[in-house]
Amino acid sequence: MIDTKYENGTMLLTINRPKQRNALSIDMYLQLSEGLQAAHDNPECYSVIITGEGEHFTAGNDLADFQRQRLPGDSPALTFLRTLASVDVPVIAAVQGYAVGVGVTMLQHCDFVYADNTAVFSLPFVTLGLCPEGGSSILLERLVGPRKAAQWLLQAKRFDAVEALDAGLLTSISENGQALVDAQQAAALLGKQPVAALRLSKNMLREPGRLALMQAFDIERDRFQERLNSEEAQAAFKRFFER
């Protein structure tokens, strides 16, 4: 489930499924979308913080959902990512432990990202017979450069907080166990700004690229659906569940 708490102008969204390393289910994606939209619609909200309960941020999508029949159009995961990419309220991520798949691609859409040295990042789409999602087909190379994007996406190379910071994915590295504290301090600084000017400024930074991003989402959605039905992907899922 997603724990939602609004206090002092900040919406705190906590991924709370620690026994599954905070893997995201269909319902959880919908709850995240609702929390983000509520923050966007609240003119007094200065920021959103996304974090994970316990030792991990999120192990990514619940792979059991990948084996279910999908209806045409956006999945709940893509609905969440579109909402995340569309809100004008600043979004802050606090990361510890595993950040896998969508746990990394969502960070591209956050305005501030804090992670401690327990963080382990991974984009295992190709390993699972899939393809990039979350806008990473256009955003990741812009953010971290073509060489690093190739390592992370094509080789599915795991990376730590130091590499993530050096590449430009993180705002800063936190002391272990302090990522959420640093995110809350960042939120407090945002709370000192005039809220309308703050949100307009984020809109001006993000809006020029949003049309291209939404088009990338469409392409990724269609390619991802094709890959889900491929023999490569189904074989990869089978190996995963047999472990």
Side-chain angles (χ1 to χ4, degrees), residues 13-27:
L13 303 176
T14 304
I15 306 168
N16 190 355
R17 200 186 180 197
K19 290 183 179 179
Q20 289 77 30
R21 296 176 177 173
N22 292 329
L24 290 162
S25 66
I26 290 172
D27 288 342

Side-chain angles (χ1 to χ4, degrees), residues 157-172:
K157 178 182 177 291
R158 288 189 174 191
F159 53 102
D160 61 16
V162 173
E163 185 173 345
L165 178 65
D166 289 345
L169 185 65
L170 305 184
T171 301
S172 67

Side-chain angles (χ1 to χ4, degrees), residues 186-236:
L189 289 174
L190 293 171
K192 295 179 180 179
Q193 305 298 335
V195 65
L198 177 70
R199 293 169 66 144
L200 174 61
S201 296
K202 172 173 176 175
N203 176 274
M204 293 172 68
L205 289 171
R206 296 284 186 163
E207 191 62 29
R210 280 174 173 164
L211 177 59
L213 180 57
M214 294 302 157
Q215 292 171 338
F217 281 148
D218 291 341
I219 294 169
E220 290 173 349
R221 176 195 61 205
D222 295 342
R223 298 293 182 265
F224 201 87
Q225 180 67 57
E226 292 170 1
R227 295 308 305 165
L228 280 176
N229 297 326
S230 70
E231 292 182 4
E232 284 185 335
Q234 291 305 313

Side-chain angles (χ1 to χ4, degrees), residues 93-166:
V95 181
Q96 71 285 339
Y98 287 131
V100 179
V102 69
V104 178
T105 58
M106 75 167 76
L107 302 181
Q108 301 170 114
H109 308 288
C110 295
D111 302 286
F112 304 88
V113 182
Y114 300 92
D116 67 23
N117 278 309
T118 69
V120 179
F121 303 89
S122 178
L123 291 160
F125 300 117
V126 171
T127 303
L128 292 170
L130 302 172
C131 64
E133 53 84 67
S136 53
S137 62
I138 64 169
L139 287 183
L140 192 63
E141 183 172 302
R142 296 177 188 175
L143 187 62
V144 305
R147 306 299 181 218
K148 194 61 68 176
Q151 283 187 316
W152 293 356
L153 283 173
L154 304 185
Q155 295 180 326
K157 178 182 177 291
R158 288 189 174 191
F159 53 102
D160 61 16
V162 173
E163 185 173 345
L165 178 65
D166 289 345

